[in-house]
């Protein structure tokens, strides 16, 4: 039977491919078929058609794959820049890290644009469209909400004005970078990444202004705390001001007077709908660490600098590692695809790292409409007409949609977003947004350009004077042995209020009166302690300059200082150990509350005892982190959800500092607000623990090897396009086990999902760097999941194993 089938398939293939394609030859080859009993003519046509179809499929698929692979980078390439004819050498190591050797800095920017496009063009293009409010052109109505928000902010117009005001050297670098991007995209028959063909869309030439959109989106992500103002206002509608004092521990007790005064106006504004209309990336800030040690604290006698920014996990990474060498300088570190700057790293003289400050540089103003003219609003100087502009949003498969964007003296009117969502806005009031980064006078690119060329502390500070936003905690070290810290940005001084809630805009009493002088911003140079640590914690004592009301709990900062407090010299390996530290100070704080409570089952008692003996390490192979986190999830829900109701999810799910505050100072929160009955907190603690254990048993069975933190706690890496394609998502997305937690130095923030035994992480350490100023060439880096965003590339996710096993990348020494 097998022999007969082989003849049926092979004979027509031989007839088709052999040299003598004569009727007699074909008849000779097909004679065995006649003996099998099939009719010759029909069989010949059928099998010939099948063979031809198979051949065409093989050729087409092979050709397509070969073409798609043609777009991947080569280990070594020499680029010739059009116009200048400059020769630029690009070499890549086994991890895909490029070294760009160029005759000038602008040629280096051209090379960086080229390699960014090779590995990340679709990511860059998607980011550009997001910032410009043009996602609907690709994704139809699914992108409409985001597009309306971005058109309201008007980022495209802002960056065009911003570009025109930049200095000639910075403009030249942006143009050179754009040339590099376009040189790759237009390079012959070479394929772009498969994403373009899946969407059936093309690439529009990159403009220098497009490089500036990335920074605006980072501003929105790291300083979009106007989302919090909307949340605070919603909570105030539901809860008395004293309860907000518990939910936000740093919230001032003197503020309720202000809250009550603005509450009436807020009641007529659709805050819930405005909040729901904001894209997920607004105010999506999570965490970061950096620190620097002076030479007197290190084994090498030179400073050590460490940085690990924590952002949303995704494919591809937010970061791209590169080295750019020119005759006068070498820049090494983490860049952001779409921009020509090394944002975290070192040159031949200095190294720097950044974390976000959580500064409040965006405020919402309640504007009162003029009763006599609904096209105007009230100001301290009388009635003033809204500025307005028309925006046309192209929508794939549908007619374009027109929208009118209104602006006041403070900024764009964001409450109109509720009208687009089919909600009726207030008849008498609207909300406008003022933010430092909505100014066309944003000179932040000048700061990025200047700091990469700085050779000492004074030049570093001078460059950062031009940073507008976002405010960042910069740690600094140089080869001469100096260390420093500064938090530069344009920080508003308010005439009244603290930016915690929307405030009246018609009387001018809450207007921004000035900007904090640069020399008044938090800074330090060569402190006597020989160590500087930032982890999004509060930066300084006192009230001036006022930066923010709410700060990240100091768990990570305290743990880093604890580890750096040991009396011995530190090495780069020690920095590695600290960055991967998983001790949870929140667990140390909360586990003792289980010691004396009455648990209902022997299993609960045994597992509570296990937590008492636990060292609080959130290691992936341990059972205790799973038990603790599941208990904290239930305790968090039982204490907060009864009062917050539908706002519980918006408030967020991981608040160990608030839980501790309730258990130690506000036991009335253990009562059920729906009844008049009081309940001891011990009973609440015990019931939450018993429920957590019963849920785990029901889902996972009795405690066993399945009860491991890494089995429940996965880092979620998903691609914005391929994750939506069922047949491809399984190979395009990654969910590796993750160590750590929201409050640990090795950060993998917990998301309290509804799925018992599953506590995924969507934020965490996306890049790590350790620099020893004694040997800059030995600097260590790691990003995740890989250098490339192209699904065809072996560098799409090849760094995940190294990220999990604490390995490092190093650029080859010159």
């Amino acid at each position: 039977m097998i022999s007969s089938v082989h003849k049926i398939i092979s004979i027509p293939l031989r007839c088709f491919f052999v040299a003598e394609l004569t009727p007699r030859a074909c008849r000779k080859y097909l004679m065995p078929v006649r003996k099998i009993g099939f009719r010759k003519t029909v069989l010949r046509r059928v099998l010939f058609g099948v063979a031809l179809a198979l051949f065409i499929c093989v050729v087409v698929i092979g050709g397509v794959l070969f073409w798609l692979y043609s777009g991947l980078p080569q280990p070594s390439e020499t680029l010739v820049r059009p116009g200048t004819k400059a020769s630029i050498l690009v070499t890549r190591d086994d991890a895909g890290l490029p070294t760009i050797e160029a005759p000038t800095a602008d040629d280096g920017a051209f090379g960086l644009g080229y390699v960014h496009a090779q590995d990340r063009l679709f990511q860059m293009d998607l980011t550009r469209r997001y910032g410009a409010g043009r996602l609907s052109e690709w994704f139809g109505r699914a992108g409409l909400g985001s597009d309306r928000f971005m058109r309201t902010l008007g980022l495209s117009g802002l960056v065009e004005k911003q570009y025109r005001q930049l200095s000639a050297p910075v403009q030249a670098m942006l143009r050179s970078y754009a040339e590099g991007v376009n040189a790759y995209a237009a390079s012959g028959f070479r394929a772009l990444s498969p994403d373009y063909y899946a969407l059936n869309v093309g690439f529009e030439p990159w403009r220098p202004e497009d490089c500036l959109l990335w920074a605006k989106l980072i501003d929105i992500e790291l300083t979009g705390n106007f989302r919090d103002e909307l949340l605070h206002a919603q909570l105030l509608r539901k809860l008395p001001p004293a309860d907000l004092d518990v939910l936000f521990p740093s919230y001032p007790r003197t503020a309720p007077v202000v809250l009550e005064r603005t509450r009436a106006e807020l009641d007529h504004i659709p805050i819930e709908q405005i909040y729901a209309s904001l894209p997920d990336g607004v105010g999506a800030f999570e965490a970061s660490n950096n620190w620097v040690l002076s030479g007197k604290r290190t084994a090498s006698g030179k400073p050590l600098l460490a940085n690990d920014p924590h952002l949303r996990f995704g494919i591809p990474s937010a970061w791209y590692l590169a080295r750019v060498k020119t005759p006068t300088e070498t820049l090494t570190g983490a860049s952001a695809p779409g921009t020509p700057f090394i944002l975290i790293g070192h040159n031949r003289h200095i190294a720097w790292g950044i974390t976000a400050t959580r500064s409040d540089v965006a405020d919402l103003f309640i504007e009162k409409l003029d009763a006599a003219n609904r096209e105007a609003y009230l100001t301290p100087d009388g009635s003033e007409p809204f500025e307005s502009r028309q925006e046309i949003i192209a929508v794939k498969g549908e007619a374009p949609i027109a929208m009118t964007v209104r602006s006041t003296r403070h900024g764009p009117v964001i409450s109109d977003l509720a009208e687009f969502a089919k909600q009726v806005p207030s008849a008498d009031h609207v909300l406008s947004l003022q933010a430092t980064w909505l100014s066309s006078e944003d000179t932040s690119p000048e700061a990025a350009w200047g700091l990469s060329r700085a050779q000492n502390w004074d030049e570093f500070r001078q460059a950062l004077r031009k940073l507008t936003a976002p405010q960042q905690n910069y740690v600094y070290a140089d080869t001469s042995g100096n260390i420093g810290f500064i938090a530069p940005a344009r920080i508003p001084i308010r005439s009244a209020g603290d930016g915690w809630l929307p405030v009246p805009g018609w009387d001018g009493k809450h207007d921004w009166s000035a900007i904090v002088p640069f020399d008044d911003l938090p800074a330090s140079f060569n402190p006597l302690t020989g160590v500087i640590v930032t982890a999004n914690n509060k930066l300084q004592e006192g009230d001036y300059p006022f930066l923010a009301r709410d700060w990240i709990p100091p768990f990570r900062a305290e743990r880093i200082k604890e580890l750096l407090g040991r009396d011995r010299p530190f090495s780069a390996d020690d920095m590695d150990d600290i960055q991967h530290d998983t001790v949870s100070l929140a667990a140390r704080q909360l586990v003792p509350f289980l010691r004396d409570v009455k648990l209902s089952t022997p299993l609960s008692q045994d597992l509570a005892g296990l937590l008492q003996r636990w060292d609080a390490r959130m290691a992936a192979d341990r059972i205790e982190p799973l038990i603790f986190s599941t208990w904290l999830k239930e305790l968090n829900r039982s204490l907060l959800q009864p009062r917050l109701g539908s706002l519980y999810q918006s408030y967020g799910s991981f608040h160990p500092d608030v839980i501790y505050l309730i258990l130690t100072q506000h036991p009335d929160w253990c009562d059920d607000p729906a009844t008049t009955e009081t309940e001891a907190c011990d009973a609440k603690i015990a019931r939450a623990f018993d429920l957590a254990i019963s849920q785990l048993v029901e889902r996972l069975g009795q405690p066993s090897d399945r009860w491991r933190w890494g089995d429940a706690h996965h880092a979620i890496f998903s691609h914005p396009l391929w994750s939506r394609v069922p047949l491809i998502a399984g190979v395009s997305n990654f969910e590796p086990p993750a160590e750590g937690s929201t409050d640990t130095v090795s950060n993998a923030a917990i998301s309290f999902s509804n799925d018992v035994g599953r506590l995924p992480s969507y934020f965490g350490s996306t890049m790590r760097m350790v620099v020893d100023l004694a040997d800059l060439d030995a600097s260590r880096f790691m990003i995740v999941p890989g250098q490339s965003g192209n699904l065809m590339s072996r560098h799409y996710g090849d760094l995940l194993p190294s990220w999990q096993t604490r390995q490092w990348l190093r650029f080859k020494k010159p």
Side-chain angles (χ1 to χ4, degrees):
M1 179 64 183
I2 295 176
S3 176
S4 298
V5 173
H6 174 75
K7 289 180 180 179
I8 293 172
I9 296 175
S10 66
I11 289 171
L13 291 176
R14 291 165 63 195
C15 182
F16 182 76
F17 287 112
V18 294
E20 318 96 67
L21 293 176
T22 64
R24 177 176 296 180
C26 285
R27 282 198 299 270
K28 174 184 176 182
Y29 290 134
L30 292 171
M31 281 297 291
V33 175
R34 295 180 62 187
K35 294 178 181 179
I36 297 172
F38 291 100
R39 297 180 62 180
K40 179 181 65 175
T41 303
V42 174
L43 180 63
R44 180 190 303 171
R45 291 175 179 174
V46 171
L47 295 180
F48 179 79
V50 170
L52 182 61
L54 289 173
F55 171 72
I56 292 173
C57 286
V58 170
V59 170
V60 169
I61 292 173
V64 169
L65 290 176
F66 179 80
W67 181 55
L68 290 174
Y69 276 110
S70 72
L72 298 178
Q74 300 301 311
S76 179
E77 297 178 75
T78 298
L79 312 178
V80 178
R81 185 179 176 187
T84 67
K85 302 302 180 183
S87 180
I88 302 163
L89 177 63
V90 178
T91 56
R92 295 174 182 265
D93 64 14
D94 292 340
L97 274 59
T99 294
I100 301 162
E101 298 180 65
T104 69
D106 285 350
D107 294 329
F110 176 92
L112 187 61
Y114 192 94
V115 301
H116 276 174
Q118 280 183 309
D119 284 317
R120 304 288 189 88
L121 187 64
F122 184 75
Q123 177 191 27
M124 295 161 57
D125 209 348
L126 194 63
T127 301
R128 168 174 64 169
R129 286 183 171 272
Y130 172 52
R134 297 180 58 196
L135 289 179
S136 298
E137 294 178 21
W138 279 5
F139 302 105
R141 297 191 70 85
L144 198 52
S146 170
D147 286 352
R148 282 171 168 157
F149 176 75
M150 292 302 174
R151 297 296 183 97
T152 297
L153 297 186
L155 299 187
S156 286
L158 281 175
V159 297
E160 289 179 1
K161 294 177 183 178
Q162 181 185 13
Y163 175 75
R164 291 194 295 269
Q165 296 174 15
L166 295 174
S167 65
V170 177
Q171 285 186 349
M173 172 166 276
L174 296 175
R175 285 196 303 270
S176 299
Y177 179 88
E179 288 176 23
V181 174
N182 295 328
Y184 169 76
S187 53
F189 189 65
R190 182 178 294 168
L192 302 179
S193 62
D195 318 65
Y196 285 98
Y197 309 112
L199 290 174
N200 192 27
V201 296
F203 174 77
E204 297 178 4
W206 196 264
R207 305 179 309 150
E209 296 90 339
D210 296 334
C211 302
L212 306 176
L213 278 172
W214 177 86
K216 294 297 184 187
L217 295 177
I218 289 296
D219 291 336
I220 293 172
E221 183 172 348
L222 299 185
T223 65
N225 47 296
F226 58 92
R227 175 193 284 274
D228 293 337
E229 291 187 40
L230 293 171
L231 175 60
H232 301 158
Q234 291 178 76
L235 289 168
L236 184 63
R237 285 178 172 177
K238 187 177 185 66
L239 302 172
D243 281 357
L244 272 67
D245 199 14
V246 176
L247 294 172
F248 303 94
S250 61
Y251 181 67
R253 295 181 182 276
T254 57
V257 174
V258 176
L259 298 181
E260 294 296 339
R261 188 176 67 179
T262 62
R263 189 168 185 169
E265 290 82 9
L266 288 174
D267 281 345
H268 298 288
I269 295 177
I271 297 173
E272 293 81 1
Q273 290 74 32
I274 301 169
Y275 185 89
S277 71
L278 301 181
D280 291 341
V282 176
F285 164 85
E286 191 61 29
S288 295
N289 308 314
N290 65 19
W291 62 88
V292 61
L293 298 175
S294 70
K296 67 182 181 181
R297 302 287 310 278
T298 69
S300 70
K302 290 288 186 178
L304 280 169
L305 186 147
N307 195 186
D308 56 308
H310 310 153
L311 297 173
R312 182 182 293 274
F313 291 137
I315 304 174
S317 170
W319 304 104
Y320 184 91
L321 299 176
R323 176 169 61 185
V324 182
K325 298 174 65 176
T326 67
T328 58
E329 191 54 88
T330 298
L331 289 169
T332 307
S335 62
T339 69
F341 306 111
I342 298 296
L343 300 170
I344 299 173
H346 66 81
N347 59 27
R348 295 176 183 172
H349 309 278
I350 70 170
W352 64 94
I354 59 176
T355 65
T357 62
R358 286 185 64 86
S359 53
D360 188 347
V361 296
D363 284 347
L364 293 176
F365 287 87
I366 307 169
E367 311 285 7
K368 184 182 293 185
L369 272 63
D370 185 346
N373 179 8
R374 311 303 289 178
E375 303 300 320
Y377 64 101
L378 301 183
T379 77
D381 300 320
S383 180
E384 188 171 320
F386 288 99
E387 294 182 10
S388 64
R389 68 177 189 276
Q390 288 292 118
E391 294 279 350
I392 306 297
I393 302 176
V395 183
K396 184 178 180 179
E398 299 185 25
I401 294 177
M403 62 178 287
T404 300
V405 177
R406 298 185 293 174
S407 295
T408 71
R409 65 193 184 95
H410 294 116
V413 175
I414 68 165
S415 54
D416 286 347
L417 292 168
E419 181 180 11
F420 300 139
K422 306 302 182 184
Q423 302 293 333
V424 179
S426 164
D428 300 316
H429 300 87
V430 297
L431 279 183
S432 65
L433 170 66
Q434 183 170 13
T436 58
W437 36 267
L438 284 177
S439 167
S440 61
E441 299 176 358
D442 184 351
T443 56
S444 297
E446 303 279 358
W449 184 86
L451 78 84
S452 63
R453 287 157 176 74
Q455 299 186 18
N456 53 54
W457 173 248
D458 289 339
E459 292 178 5
F460 185 76
R461 276 178 54 89
Q462 192 63 30
L464 291 176
R465 285 180 179 273
K466 297 184 179 180
L467 185 69
T468 299
Q471 187 177 31
Q472 303 273 33
N473 303 318
Y474 280 83
V475 292
Y476 164 96
D478 62 37
T479 54
S480 297
N482 300 300
I483 66 171
F485 156 80
I486 190 169
R490 291 173 61 85
I491 306 299
I493 298 175
R494 298 166 175 85
S495 300
D498 54 17
W500 208 78
L501 274 168
V503 292
W506 58 86
D507 56 11
K509 294 180 179 179
H510 296 82
D511 284 358
W512 295 359
S513 58
I515 297 295
V516 175
F518 180 83
D519 292 333
D520 289 354
L521 294 170
S524 176
F525 184 63
N526 287 334
L528 294 177
T529 58
V531 59
I532 301 170
V533 175
T534 85
N536 318 119
N537 51 313
K538 188 174 181 179
L539 295 185
Q540 88 283 0
E541 297 179 356
D543 298 328
Y544 181 83
F546 175 80
L547 301 179
R549 180 63 61 195
D550 298 324
W551 299 91
I552 288 289
F555 295 123
R556 285 178 289 109
E558 290 174 352
R559 178 59 178 167
I560 295 168
K561 289 183 176 181
E562 176 184 324
L563 294 171
L564 292 175
R566 293 170 291 182
D567 186 17
R568 62 176 181 80
F570 289 90
S571 67
D573 287 340
D574 294 321
M575 303 300 99
D576 175 3
D577 290 339
I578 295 173
Q579 285 187 336
H580 290 89
D581 182 79
T582 63
V583 169
S584 169
L585 297 191
R588 282 185 182 177
Q589 206 174 59
L590 293 176
V591 165
F593 286 97
L594 283 169
R595 185 174 296 126
D596 300 319
V597 300
K598 294 182 179 180
L599 300 170
S600 63
T601 68
L603 179 59
S604 290
Q605 295 165 9
D606 290 344
L607 294 180
L610 185 65
L611 287 190
Q612 297 297 330
R613 300 185 297 274
W614 176 40
D615 61 5
R617 294 187 183 277
M618 304 290 288
D621 62 349
R622 299 288 293 271
I623 185 175
E624 297 93 341
L626 175 59
I627 298 170
F628 169 72
S629 299
T630 308
W631 168 55
L632 180 59
K633 170 186 173 182
E634 289 305 318
L635 185 59
N636 203 84
R637 182 195 56 76
S638 66
L639 291 176
L640 301 180
Q641 193 171 42
R643 297 198 185 208
L644 299 185
S646 61
L647 293 175
Y648 175 66
Q649 292 299 327
S650 299
Y651 173 66
S653 51
F654 189 86
H655 293 281
D657 56 326
V658 175
I659 300 303
Y660 181 80
L661 182 66
I662 289 172
L663 297 180
T664 56
Q665 299 182 35
H666 297 277
D668 56 296
W669 276 63
C670 295
D671 301 337
D672 186 348
T675 69
T676 58
E677 297 180 4
T678 61
E679 183 175 15
C681 287
D682 281 357
K684 206 89 167 182
I685 293 169
R687 189 159 55 250
F689 193 82
D690 285 332
L691 179 58
I693 300 305
S694 66
Q695 288 176 344
L696 289 173
V697 169
E698 182 178 354
R699 174 64 185 271
L700 304 176
Q702 293 297 313
S704 64
D705 289 342
R706 294 182 63 191
W707 284 44
R708 294 292 180 266
W709 183 227
D711 293 333
H713 187 51
H714 294 89
I716 308 300
F717 294 90
S718 62
H719 189 278
L721 176 61
W722 300 123
S723 62
R724 303 170 188 271
V725 182
L727 296 179
I728 300 179
V731 296
S732 66
N733 298 341
F734 308 113
E735 296 188 9
E739 64 178 13
S741 180
T742 303
D743 67 307
T744 57
V745 179
S746 180
N747 192 266
I750 297 175
S751 175
F752 286 168
S753 70
N754 293 325
D755 189 357
V756 176
R758 178 173 165 80
L759 296 158
S761 175
Y762 297 94
F763 290 85
S765 179
T766 52
M767 195 279 285
R768 292 189 175 109
M769 177 185 76
V770 174
V771 180
D772 188 340
L773 275 293
D775 186 1
L776 290 171
D777 291 330
S779 299
R780 309 176 181 193
F781 299 93
M782 179 52 62
I783 64 168
V784 65
Q787 278 279 90
S788 179
N790 190 326
L791 188 60
M792 309 297 294
S793 173
R794 68 185 179 94
H795 300 305
Y796 179 81
D798 61 329
L799 296 180
L800 265 174
S802 300
W803 178 73
Q804 289 181 277
T805 55
R806 295 179 50 171
Q807 298 179 47
W808 290 93
L809 302 175
R810 294 176 176 83
F811 285 86
K812 293 181 179 179
K813 293 190 176 183

